[in-house]
Amino acid sequence: MLLKSILNRVQLHHGFVYGSIRLLEQKKRPALEVEIRPRKNSRPVCSVCGGPGPGYDTLPTRRFEFVPLGGIAVFFLYAMRRVNCPRCGVKVERVPWAEGKNHLTTTYAWFLARWAKRLSWKECADAFETNWDNVFRAVKMAVAWGIAHRSLDNVTALGIDEICWRKKGSKFLTLVYQIDDGCKRLLWIGKDRSRKTLLSFFVEFGPERSSNFVLSAPTCGSHTSRS
């Protein structure tokens, strides 16, 4: 099938092969289900230490959501193995297309996170027929990756905003951006919109960097602090 050739070109996973592909005609939205199988004689990899080990057993099949194809939802189907790791004991294997218990493939999460930079999170969810929570998880993943790989030494201007992510109960998130000339990026996401929430960002930001900023009383909408 041509789709297998495309997937092997853009999503080749060493140690795994694509199996059968079927189209499901659903009322709400058609979906493609792509089976993934471990390559013959391949050994599962421990999700904790990353070392290979003998297989222990196989768990029920899980669905992992991939980038939609022309309005058709795409799902990878895979039965996770458990590995009898000599270092860590019996653990669920690590797979290259998703992290931990996330049901979104890493590729799809990055896809949503990039579009969430251009659209509101609700618009992004509506455009790709997914839900707001998936967009939030994708952005959170991208922020976590950025935190692990970022340099904060040259941040001189911060923008602080808040968004309502659930109408019931007025649930808010606090977002902190770098807004320096030539470098604008999301730095941090925190639950609620209290002063305590914002202070937790500056704790992570570090006392030396935080000393360059003055935290004023929160106001509605976007506001900034500058060094």
Side-chain angles (χ1 to χ4, degrees):
M1 190 176 183
L2 180 59
L3 183 56
K4 271 191 197 179
S5 300
I6 295 173
L7 287 171
N8 280 317
R9 180 69 180 270
V10 300
Q11 281 285 291
L12 181 63
H13 303 301
H14 296 289
F16 301 89
V17 295
Y18 293 108
S20 61
I21 299 175
R22 55 183 173 272
L23 176 64
L24 303 180
E25 294 289 353
Q26 303 175 132
K27 287 184 179 180
K28 186 177 180 182
R29 187 186 186 193
L32 280 169
E33 291 188 337
V34 182
E35 182 187 35
I36 297 180
R37 300 192 305 265
R39 193 174 294 278
K40 190 176 180 180
N41 297 325
S42 69
R43 304 180 79 195
V45 172
C46 176
S47 57
V48 177
C49 69
Y56 181 79
D57 60 8
T58 302
L59 300 174
T61 299
R62 284 176 56 186
R63 297 173 97 227
F64 300 88
E65 193 168 357
F66 188 61
V67 181
L69 180 63
I72 300 174
V74 179
F75 295 91
F76 291 164
L77 303 185
Y78 181 68
M80 304 284 284
R81 297 172 291 178
R82 290 202 296 172
V83 52
N84 191 4
C85 178
R87 299 185 189 89
C88 310
V90 177
K91 300 294 180 183
V92 178
E93 70 175 316
R94 178 187 299 172
V95 293
W97 58 84
E99 292 288 338
K101 297 181 179 180
N102 201 332
H103 69 278
L104 295 181
T105 59
T106 303
T107 300
Y108 189 33
W110 278 112
F111 177 87
L112 290 174
R114 290 188 182 101
W115 275 103
K117 293 171 66 176
R118 301 186 178 191
L119 304 173
S120 73
W121 293 2
K122 185 180 184 305
E123 288 173 331
C124 184
D126 291 343
F128 299 106
E129 298 185 65
T130 187
N131 57 57
W132 191 95
D133 287 339
N134 282 343
V135 179
F136 169 72
R137 291 189 189 98
V139 173
K140 186 177 180 180
M141 178 211 70
V143 171
W145 185 93
I147 288 172
H149 296 82
R150 69 184 174 179
S151 171
L152 299 176
D153 294 336
N154 298 315
V155 177
T156 61
L158 294 176
I160 302 166
D161 201 0
E162 59 191 34
I163 59 171
C164 179
W165 67 280
R166 182 188 296 170
K167 291 183 180 178
K168 216 172 196 183
S170 299
K171 299 294 184 179
F172 287 87
L173 296 173
T174 297
L175 288 76
V176 180
Y177 299 85
Q178 179 182 0
I179 55 172
D180 288 304
D181 291 338
C183 185
K184 293 177 173 58
R185 55 178 174 163
L186 178 63
L187 295 178
W188 187 83
I189 301 174
K191 288 185 178 180
D192 299 323
R193 55 172 178 173
S194 65
R195 188 179 184 87
K196 182 179 179 181
T197 300
L198 191 53
L199 286 173
S200 63
F201 160 75
F202 286 102
V203 170
E204 292 185 25
F205 198 50
E208 187 174 342
R209 297 189 188 95
S210 298
S211 64
N212 296 322
F213 295 87
V214 176
L215 181 59
S216 58
T219 59
C220 295
S222 179
H223 48 286
T224 62
S225 298
R226 292 182 180 273
S227 58

